[in-house]
Amino acid sequence: MRNVHPELHLVERIGWLRAAVLGANDGIVSTASLILGVAAASQGRSEIMLAGVAGLVAGAMSMAAGEYVSVSSQADTEAADLTRERAELASSPEAELDELSGTYQRRGVAKATADEVARQMMEHDALDAHARDELSITHVTTARPIQAALTSAATFTLGAALPLLVASVLPLGRLLTGGVALASLVFLAGLGAIGARAGGAQVTKAVLRVTFWGAAAMAVTAGIGSLVGTVV
């Protein structure tokens, strides 16, 4: 009997990695943009910090709620599909056997082999076989609302805390806005690199993507803040 070595596939990280990167990225970009926008309209540190802290709290709660609702909807859909599949297996097992065999045949398996594989798979665990091969529901893709919500909220908070920390120590004026913008771009570049390495993606492409859109968001927000400050 051959020795079976354990394998760690990158796709198994997709659930928590997506939520973590999205949360941290949003935390950095939204809070830095908010700080720059308020700083462009007001020279008071208290107003800048208050806006930043409010953005951190509101953003973290919004990320948690949004992820929970979104992923819960996915979980409800998966549960409904499994309930329907369970009922169909009970009422028409032969039709479900043919359906599973047809799935394998469409993937290039010969009919006789597909029929035998489908029969053995259904004898082992019929619902699991149909969930995985017909509905594409696996342990990797299964929705986990609470995990997604907590991960997004925690990483958003960590991301948002970085530009807030920079804003709290730099002197007011152009040094503050320039320092927050530059530091935030560095943070975003680091986040892009970490996310790319964890997901097995190209680092350079990921870094350029997050820094470009982060810079665009901060520039637009700062411009609007400056315009509002001038008008008011």
Side-chain angles (χ1 to χ4, degrees):
M1 185 176 181
R2 292 184 305 170
N3 292 326
V4 179
H5 67 280
E7 294 184 353
L8 178 62
H9 297 285
L10 296 175
V11 71
E12 295 181 5
R13 304 173 177 174
I14 194 65
W16 66 263
L17 181 60
R18 171 190 167 276
V21 172
L22 179 63
N25 183 83
D26 282 1
I28 295 172
V29 173
S30 61
T31 305
S33 298
L34 188 59
I35 289 172
L36 294 176
V38 174
S42 170
Q43 293 300 313
R45 185 183 296 275
S46 59
E47 291 90 341
I48 296 171
M49 297 303 297
L50 178 60
V53 172
L56 183 154
V57 175
M61 296 305 297
S62 176
M63 289 291 294
E67 283 291 320
Y68 184 82
V69 170
S70 175
V71 180
S72 291
S73 297
Q74 179 188 340
D76 292 342
T77 301
E78 292 175 353
D81 281 341
L82 291 175
T83 298
R84 183 170 57 252
E85 197 66 35
R86 191 179 289 108
E88 291 173 351
L89 285 168
S91 62
S92 52
E94 290 301 320
E96 290 300 302
L97 178 62
D98 291 340
E99 185 177 41
L100 189 60
S101 175
T103 299
Y104 298 142
Q105 290 177 55
R106 286 190 295 274
R107 295 177 183 174
V109 181
K111 185 179 186 307
T113 304
D115 289 342
E116 179 60 21
V117 171
R119 184 187 64 78
Q120 292 188 29
M121 294 295 289
M122 288 188 64
E123 287 178 353
H124 176 68
D125 191 331
L127 183 61
D128 178 72
H130 280 269
R132 182 181 61 252
D133 296 323
E134 181 187 346
L135 304 176
S136 299
I137 299 175
T138 69
H139 73 284
V140 175
T141 61
T142 298
R144 298 177 177 86
I146 295 179
Q147 181 190 64
L150 293 178
T151 300
S152 293
T155 53
F156 182 97
T157 301
L158 290 174
L162 295 175
L164 262 178
L165 179 62
V166 174
S168 68
V169 298
L170 290 177
L172 291 173
R174 291 186 178 181
L175 182 58
L176 185 149
T177 55
V180 168
L182 179 60
S184 297
L185 290 177
V186 172
F187 297 146
L188 286 171
L191 176 64
I194 292 171
R197 285 193 175 277
Q202 186 179 353
V203 173
T204 303
K205 185 177 180 180
V207 169
L208 290 175
R209 182 169 55 234
V210 297
T211 51
F212 173 80
W213 288 109
M218 288 186 285
V220 170
T221 310
I224 293 175
S226 179
L227 179 62
V228 170
T230 302
V231 172
V232 174

